[in-house]
Amino acid sequence: MDLRKRLRTLQGEAGAMAPEGACGKADRPPEGGGQKKPAVRARLDRLRAAARGANDRPRGHGDPDRLAVALGAECVEPGVVRVDTHLSPGARHGCTTLPPGDAAVRFPGWPRVLLRDLAFLDTETSGLAGGTGTVAFNIGVLRWADGAWRSRQYLLTGFGGEAPMLRALASDLRECRGLVTYNGGSFDLPLLRDRYRLQRQPDPHLPTAHLDLLHPVRRLYRNRWSDCRLASAEAALLGLERGDDLPGAEVPAVWFDWVHRGRGERFGAVLQHNRLDILSLLALMPALAGAVRAPGRWGACPLGAARYWRQQGQAGRARLLLERAEDLDFNGQHELARLRHRGGWGEGAVALWEALAARGCPRALEQLAKYHEHVRHDMRTALALAERLPASVARERRRARLLRRCGAERTLPLDL
């Protein structure tokens, strides 16, 4: 029977169901003297004590100390254990190796930083949808420490350990210049901020530079891969196949096994999954930085790389990437034509627009209509191109203007 129901049942037996001062049968002393039976009172005291302690340990009554020994972990606070693993630079990760801490990585729009100044973070949670009911029961942070990469993982073994775990995490993230995650901007960081507020702790001073690797992966590979999950990036860029790794969708069930049944046999698989995640973030940094600079070498989309540079004000570099590409698709050719147009119509832009217009590209037809109207002053050719545009208000306005200008040309006197 549920603990709360048992309390209500015993309180009813003892005549204490109604609140104090309420009028009802529960306020009346029972017949025969009106005193609670000592056995009932003792049982109530034991149940209340059990209820007070329920928040301090999982409902499944798992043994945190035994769990820590099995995981090779250290109990740092009541309700939280920590596992530290050190890996030397050059350690294998898939078909690549972990870079040294003094390696420099540069992304467009990101400051030039050394890898040792960054923190790589990933969380495993009790749910995949987020929200205030979701708990980050496993947090992994990878940082450079004492000449090696240190994977530090916190594991919650009781709800009372969340506050000290969050304080320890804030300490671990101090003095790092940048934070690297995978989908952390939409999931991990908002979740952690919610947990800090629910624990009435100040928001951690996270680094202002945050690189969410999901965004460059999407930009460079969304048209090349079937999906942009971390596992797909690992397989394609790092040659890492996880094999019997615990699927991410099964991670919440491991937490509930511990909370409800006291079973922690699969916590080791969760820690291994989390450790691989943060090591992959480190290994992906130089790979993705290389793909932005040389997309052909890394099998990336040249258009995605070019847009990276263009948005950072480096249109010349973006144009050079596209001109060197051997497999420009329809959209890539259109972007190259736009970049050439910035340097003037005579620098190859018209030839690209004409090739695209022959394939029925509306944007190319519009650009050529502008070119013949404003540069060549050939209203008849501009009108013929405008006639091929899809029906729209803008197209009708352009046609009306060109018809008027064509009519004006016919009424001009000839020079004799």
Side-chain angles (χ1 to χ4, degrees):
M1 185 181 293
D2 182 76
L3 181 60
R4 187 175 297 174
K5 291 181 180 179
R6 292 175 63 190
L7 277 170
R8 289 175 178 171
T9 301
L10 289 171
Q11 286 172 341
E13 294 175 2
M17 289 296 292
E20 292 183 10
C23 295
K25 293 181 180 179
D27 290 318
R28 301 173 189 168
E31 295 179 4
Q35 297 297 322
K36 292 181 182 179
K37 297 178 181 180
V40 173
R41 178 175 296 178
R43 290 176 66 189
L44 279 172
D45 290 341
R46 287 197 301 270
L47 288 171
R48 288 191 181 108
R52 284 194 297 270
N55 289 331
D56 297 329
R57 64 179 183 274
R59 280 169 277 178
H61 303 290
D63 187 343
D65 295 327
R66 183 178 298 176
L67 177 66
V69 172
L71 296 174
E74 175 188 4
C75 291
V76 291
E77 294 280 354
V80 60
V81 300
R82 186 181 69 198
V83 182
D84 283 355
T85 306
H86 292 82
L87 299 101
S88 301
R92 299 293 299 179
H93 187 71
C95 294
T96 186
T97 58
L98 298 182
D102 58 359
V105 175
R106 181 72 181 270
F107 271 84
W110 229 55
R112 182 182 181 276
V113 293
L114 300 179
L115 290 177
R116 67 187 179 199
D117 296 327
L118 303 177
F120 303 84
L121 180 141
D122 185 63
T123 66
E124 309 300 334
T125 65
S126 62
L128 302 178
T132 55
T134 302
V135 177
F137 70 89
N138 173 211
I139 303 175
V141 180
L142 183 70
R143 291 206 64 183
W144 181 261
D146 301 324
W149 291 108
R150 183 194 66 198
S151 163
R152 171 162 287 180
Q153 297 171 283
Y154 295 99
L155 183 64
L156 205 60
T157 60
F159 291 104
E162 184 177 29
M165 179 181 71
L166 293 175
R167 285 195 296 269
L169 174 64
S171 177
D172 288 333
L173 294 179
R174 285 198 193 103
E175 298 179 2
C176 65
R177 294 183 55 193
L179 189 64
V180 181
T181 66
Y182 204 89
N183 197 31
S186 300
F187 185 79
D188 301 80
L189 299 190
L191 172 65
L192 287 174
R193 290 189 179 99
D194 286 344
R195 302 314 301 179
Y196 275 96
R197 289 164 187 165
L198 287 170
Q199 290 294 335
R200 299 184 179 180
Q201 293 188 22
D203 285 351
H205 296 290
L206 298 177
T208 55
H210 171 222
L211 181 59
D212 188 336
L213 293 183
L214 175 62
H215 300 307
V217 166
R218 280 178 173 167
R219 179 166 289 185
L220 296 169
Y221 293 103
R222 81 173 100 197
N223 297 326
R224 304 296 173 101
W225 300 344
S226 59
D227 59 67
C228 292
R229 296 179 300 121
L230 178 58
S232 300
E234 290 173 337
L237 300 178
L238 307 179
L240 177 65
E241 297 290 346
R242 297 208 182 191
D244 58 353
D245 178 57
L246 181 72
E250 296 183 18
V251 168
V254 179
W255 169 248
F256 289 111
D257 276 347
W258 171 255
V259 170
H260 295 293
R261 302 175 185 87
R263 298 178 55 185
E265 296 88 351
R266 294 200 292 169
F267 269 140
V270 171
L271 291 174
Q272 175 66 8
H273 176 88
N274 178 257
R275 188 180 301 115
L276 286 174
D277 282 351
I278 54 179
L279 289 175
S280 290
L281 295 180
L282 169 63
L284 283 171
M285 285 285 287
L288 290 173
V292 171
R293 284 165 171 74
R297 178 183 172 190
W298 291 90
C301 174
L303 175 59
R307 284 175 174 169
Y308 241 128
W309 293 111
R310 178 173 58 80
Q311 289 176 359
Q312 299 303 318
Q314 299 193 40
R317 186 161 192 169
R319 173 180 163 180
L320 188 61
L321 276 179
L322 293 176
E323 287 178 340
R324 289 177 175 175
E326 298 178 355
D327 56 344
L328 269 189
D329 60 9
F330 188 83
N331 291 322
Q333 293 178 30
H334 179 76
E335 180 69 15
L336 177 57
R338 282 207 323 166
L339 292 170
R340 284 180 173 176
H341 175 50
R342 289 187 174 192
W345 286 104
E347 295 191 17
V350 174
L352 273 173
W353 292 131
E354 288 175 343
L356 291 168
R359 297 162 60 185
C361 174
R363 290 176 293 179
L365 290 169
E366 182 181 5
Q367 292 297 327
L368 282 176
K370 292 179 181 178
Y371 168 69
H372 285 285
E373 179 182 0
H374 301 296
V375 179
R376 296 289 302 278
H377 305 293
D378 183 350
M379 305 305 158
R380 297 182 184 278
T381 302
L383 178 60
L385 290 164
E387 296 281 2
R388 296 167 58 190
L389 288 170
S392 68
V393 174
R395 173 209 175 193
E396 295 307 316
R397 288 176 179 169
R398 184 180 301 278
R399 285 184 67 251
R401 183 179 68 251
L402 290 170
L403 284 169
R404 289 195 302 271
R405 298 190 69 176
C406 285
E409 286 180 353
R410 284 196 294 270
T411 59
L412 289 176
L414 297 177
D415 292 330
L416 301 177

